[in-house]
Amino acid sequence: MTTVGKRPALTPRHLTRTTERLSFIYLERCTIHRDANAITAEDAEGTTHIPSATIGTLLLGPGTRITHQAMSVLGETGACVAWVGEHGVRYYAGGRALSRSAALLEAQATQWANVRSRIAVARAMYRLRFPDEDPAGLTRHELLGREGTRVRNCYRAQAARTGLPWNGRHYTPGDFTSGDPVNQAITAAAQCMYGVAHAVVASLGCSPGLGFVHSGHELSFVLDIADLYKTDIGIPLAFDVAAEGEEDIGSRTRRALRDRINETRLLERCVRDIKDLLLPDSPEHASEPAENTDRVTLQSDRGLNVSSGVNYGTEDEAAIW
């Protein structure tokens, strides 16, 4: 029987595509270990096996302990790991997912570094959220103003639809119970959406910190992407859960959101939207990118990339190119 250390590392061909993974799994008060290419969650009720290659984001809540071998297999399979507070409502730290290609990262940096293309991407994000409006020509301040108005209207519309009283958005960081039930549900849904967006951003090799709407935070781009689905999925679902009752609202919101994400194929949509935003003119953006291609090149002149691992100082190699 081979030991974990002697098992061969997984290759890109063995990995589950980002769009086909579970959106997220939240664990608390358990010990997480590795068994072959699965992780195990052990608590007083027994042991649960979870195939690591099917996980998009693993949210580790209070009372969890995770072994080095468990982190190793999660890294090999490209799962994002985030340490969160109780109910999953506060982000503490994260482990990067496995990314092999820098294609989307380079496209993101190029779009971000130019002032005109940066605001063009911000407008495209607004257009994705509110397709009935044309943001062409709007300044950043005007975009923020319209976004705020649309979100406030969404809150009011969902309150009217579900019959719940709505006194505004209230959330105290670190204190999940400070808000009323619907605010608790909105908070739980938002934090889970951040985890899902973080997993997709990391798995595609993008930078979580280079945002087009948000700025100055290590997760600015994650917040950008998560907000694309706030009024479409997160807020309506939170009101639905709150309308069903006040008990266990955090866990019920997470389970309901997980089901909604799978039903709507949000991971596939999220991947497609990121490619549309960063590579709008690429004919290949609709297909799965080569983020799992383990290939390194060297930058040469006139925008050419050449193979690495070659000594270009010799006369023969210099003559070839």
Side-chain angles (χ1 to χ4, degrees), residues 23-24 57 59 80 84 87-89 91 185-201 219 221-238 253-254 256-262 264-267 269-270 273:
S23 52
F24 65 88
T57 303
L59 301 176
C80 182
V84 298
H87 304 292
V89 299
Y91 176 93
I186 292 172
T187 298
Q191 294 297 335
C192 289
M193 292 292 285
Y194 295 152
V196 172
H198 193 178
V200 176
V201 167
L219 299 179
F221 190 55
V222 172
L223 301 178
D224 284 356
I225 298 304
D227 277 0
L228 295 178
Y229 318 108
K230 178 188 294 183
T231 56
D232 184 21
I233 295 177
I235 294 175
L237 180 137
T253 300
R254 288 194 299 273
L257 182 62
R258 180 186 60 204
D259 293 341
R260 184 69 57 84
I261 287 171
N262 292 333
T264 59
R265 302 181 67 85
L266 181 64
L267 291 185
R269 176 181 170 188
C270 191
D273 288 344

Side-chain angles (χ1 to χ4, degrees), residues 89-151:
V89 299
R90 187 169 182 178
Y91 176 93
Y92 292 122
R96 275 196 65 200
L98 185 63
S99 303
R100 291 183 171 88
S101 172
L104 279 172
L105 173 60
E106 292 176 353
Q108 179 187 9
T110 299
Q111 297 274 36
W112 181 89
N114 183 283
V115 174
R116 291 184 179 179
S117 60
R118 195 188 307 181
I119 193 171
V121 173
R123 290 175 182 142
M125 287 180 169
Y126 187 90
R127 193 176 292 109
L128 281 175
R129 295 181 64 180
F130 310 114
D132 58 329
E133 277 195 48
D134 183 9
L138 294 182
T139 66
R140 283 193 175 275
H141 189 73
E142 290 170 336
L143 284 175
L144 293 176
R146 291 202 182 185
E147 191 267 352
T149 299
R150 294 295 293 259
V151 171

Side-chain angles (χ1 to χ4, degrees), residues 17-282:
R17 287 163 44 140
T18 300
T19 55
E20 297 171 351
R21 297 186 179 217
L22 298 174
S23 52
F24 65 88
I25 295 177
Y26 174 81
L27 298 175
E28 63 180 15
R29 296 175 177 83
C30 63
T31 298
I32 302 163
H33 193 48
R34 173 178 182 168
D35 183 6
N37 285 323
I39 62 169
T40 62
E42 182 179 357
D43 59 14
E45 298 182 359
T47 301
T48 302
H49 285 71
I50 307 168
S52 58
T54 65
I55 301 173
T57 303
L58 179 62
L59 301 176
L60 302 180
T64 52
R65 294 185 298 170
I66 187 165
T67 66
H68 180 278
Q69 289 297 339
M71 285 300 301
S72 174
V73 72
L74 289 166
E76 288 177 6
T77 55
C80 182
V81 182
W83 283 260
V84 298
E86 192 167 9
H87 304 292
V89 299
R90 187 169 182 178
Y91 176 93
Y92 292 122
R96 275 196 65 200
L98 185 63
S99 303
R100 291 183 171 88
S101 172
L104 279 172
L105 173 60
E106 292 176 353
Q108 179 187 9
T110 299
Q111 297 274 36
W112 181 89
N114 183 283
V115 174
R116 291 184 179 179
S117 60
R118 195 188 307 181
I119 193 171
V121 173
R123 290 175 182 142
M125 287 180 169
Y126 187 90
R127 193 176 292 109
L128 281 175
R129 295 181 64 180
F130 310 114
D132 58 329
E133 277 195 48
D134 183 9
L138 294 182
T139 66
R140 283 193 175 275
H141 189 73
E142 290 170 336
L143 284 175
L144 293 176
R146 291 202 182 185
E147 191 267 352
T149 299
R150 294 295 293 259
V151 171
R152 284 197 300 272
N153 290 341
C154 179
Y155 285 137
R156 296 191 186 104
Q158 296 305 318
R161 179 180 65 84
T162 57
L164 290 174
W166 177 249
N167 299 310
R169 179 74 173 111
H170 302 289
Y171 167 59
T172 302
D175 187 2
F176 179 69
T177 60
S178 63
D180 57 21
V182 68
N183 269 284
Q184 292 180 24
I186 292 172
T187 298
Q191 294 297 335
C192 289
M193 292 292 285
Y194 295 152
V196 172
H198 193 178
V200 176
V201 167
S203 67
L204 292 179
C206 299
S207 169
L210 294 183
F212 297 87
V213 176
H214 295 84
S215 181
H217 191 273
E218 62 177 342
L219 299 179
S220 294
F221 190 55
V222 172
L223 301 178
D224 284 356
I225 298 304
D227 277 0
L228 295 178
Y229 318 108
K230 178 188 294 183
T231 56
D232 184 21
I233 295 177
I235 294 175
L237 180 137
F239 274 86
D240 287 341
V241 172
E244 294 172 357
E246 300 183 6
E247 291 187 6
D248 301 323
I249 198 160
S251 59
R252 288 194 296 111
T253 300
R254 288 194 299 273
R255 289 194 295 269
L257 182 62
R258 180 186 60 204
D259 293 341
R260 184 69 57 84
I261 287 171
N262 292 333
E263 290 168 1
T264 59
R265 302 181 67 85
L266 181 64
L267 291 185
E268 182 175 337
R269 176 181 170 188
C270 191
V271 170
R272 185 174 62 250
D273 288 344
I274 290 175
K275 296 177 194 173
D276 284 340
L277 291 166
L278 300 182
L279 296 170
D281 300 322
S282 173

